[in-house]
Amino acid sequence: MKRLLGIIFTASSILLAGCASTITSDVTAFHAWPNDLPDKSYVFTPTKDQEGSLEYRNYEQLVRAELQRLGFTDAPGSKATLKVAFSYGMQAGTVVVTQPAYDPFWYGPGYPGWRGRPFGPWGPGPFYDPFWGPPMQTTAFPVFQRRLYLAITRADSDRKLYEVTVDSEGREATLPMAMPYMVHSAFSEFPGPSGVSRHVVLKLDKRAPAAPTSTTVKPAAPAQ
């Protein structure tokens, strides 16, 4: 029982604390990247809704920096070999955490969290079962699910060479803060394994959020 409660406390602490010092993204990429691509010139192809959007332009700069790091070159549309398109969004959800309503190892009539009539000098009341542990309480708090989708295609045929989806969660509705890390995650180990989901963990740097440096990549756990 003590071991179980310890696990519950640990899991609750992790969930409540969130990822204060890191941002974790689930990255899944599919690609048919050629072994030799001498011309890596590209052009962005925003949608009508994205044209003129200052938010889109900000994220475009993040993608451009990653492409430049990988040896791509920005070129006018008529001369580019590749086209780059991306979309992004965020939606709200809820996480529910169940944990003991009070410290399970200190209870009784004198304890502030104790309720009910005593059963013997230190016996539990009707809200406590010695065989099933202390009463539990459930807490719900919001979580925001962020997504980035990016595709690289050939300009002459619209054939896709690389497409990647990046999913990240956090307790704050801060897509602009998370986007530099999600963009960086999208190009980690580029082009990387095709059709394999990975967890990419980046250290949060509040001084320079647009240039994450510490990366940990590990395969995603198989679905149960």
Side-chain angles (χ1 to χ4, degrees):
M1 178 57 69
K2 289 185 178 181
R3 175 178 174 81
L4 175 60
L5 292 173
I7 294 174
I8 293 174
F9 276 125
T10 301
S12 301
S13 299
I14 293 174
L15 286 172
L16 291 173
C19 294
S21 60
T22 61
I23 290 184
T24 301
S25 298
D26 293 325
V27 181
T28 305
F30 295 89
H31 68 83
W33 201 259
N35 293 329
D36 185 19
L37 186 64
D39 186 356
K40 297 170 71 175
S41 60
Y42 70 92
V43 63
F44 286 103
T45 56
T47 65
K48 289 185 178 181
D49 292 337
Q50 292 172 337
E51 291 179 353
S53 168
L54 295 179
E55 182 181 18
Y56 172 84
R57 295 302 176 190
N58 180 273
Y59 301 154
E60 183 183 273
Q61 292 297 328
L62 299 175
V63 176
R64 178 178 286 108
E66 288 295 325
L67 291 172
Q68 183 178 358
R69 179 179 63 84
L70 294 169
F72 290 78
T73 56
D74 200 346
S78 60
K79 297 182 179 181
T81 301
L82 305 171
K83 296 190 297 185
V84 179
F86 65 92
S87 58
Y88 48 88
M90 181 173 61
Q91 63 181 6
T94 303
V95 170
V96 178
V97 176
T98 300
Q99 58 186 355
Y102 57 84
D103 190 335
F105 306 113
W106 297 95
Y107 52 83
Y111 185 74
W114 182 89
R115 294 182 296 172
R117 295 175 300 179
F119 183 77
W122 292 99
F127 293 92
Y128 178 82
D129 188 329
F131 301 103
W132 295 103
M136 307 296 287
Q137 66 179 9
T138 299
T139 304
F141 55 87
V143 62
F144 295 91
Q145 301 169 335
R146 305 174 287 245
R147 169 165 289 189
L148 167 67
Y149 171 80
L150 182 143
I152 302 177
T153 62
R154 285 191 176 275
D156 57 356
S157 63
D158 285 335
R159 184 168 68 90
K160 287 185 178 180
L161 298 181
Y162 182 77
E163 61 178 347
V164 60
T165 301
V166 182
D167 290 310
S168 177
E169 291 186 355
R171 292 190 59 188
E172 298 181 2
T174 53
L175 182 60
M177 182 277 293
M179 190 58 70
Y181 303 90
M182 296 176 67
V183 171
H184 188 73
S185 298
F187 292 100
S188 64
E189 299 183 350
F190 180 87
S194 182
V196 177
S197 296
R198 297 168 293 138
H199 293 309
V200 179
V201 183
L202 294 174
K203 185 176 180 181
L204 182 60
D205 187 352
K206 296 181 179 180
R207 295 170 301 175
T213 57
S214 178
T215 307
T216 302
V217 181
K218 60 180 179 179
Q224 298 296 324

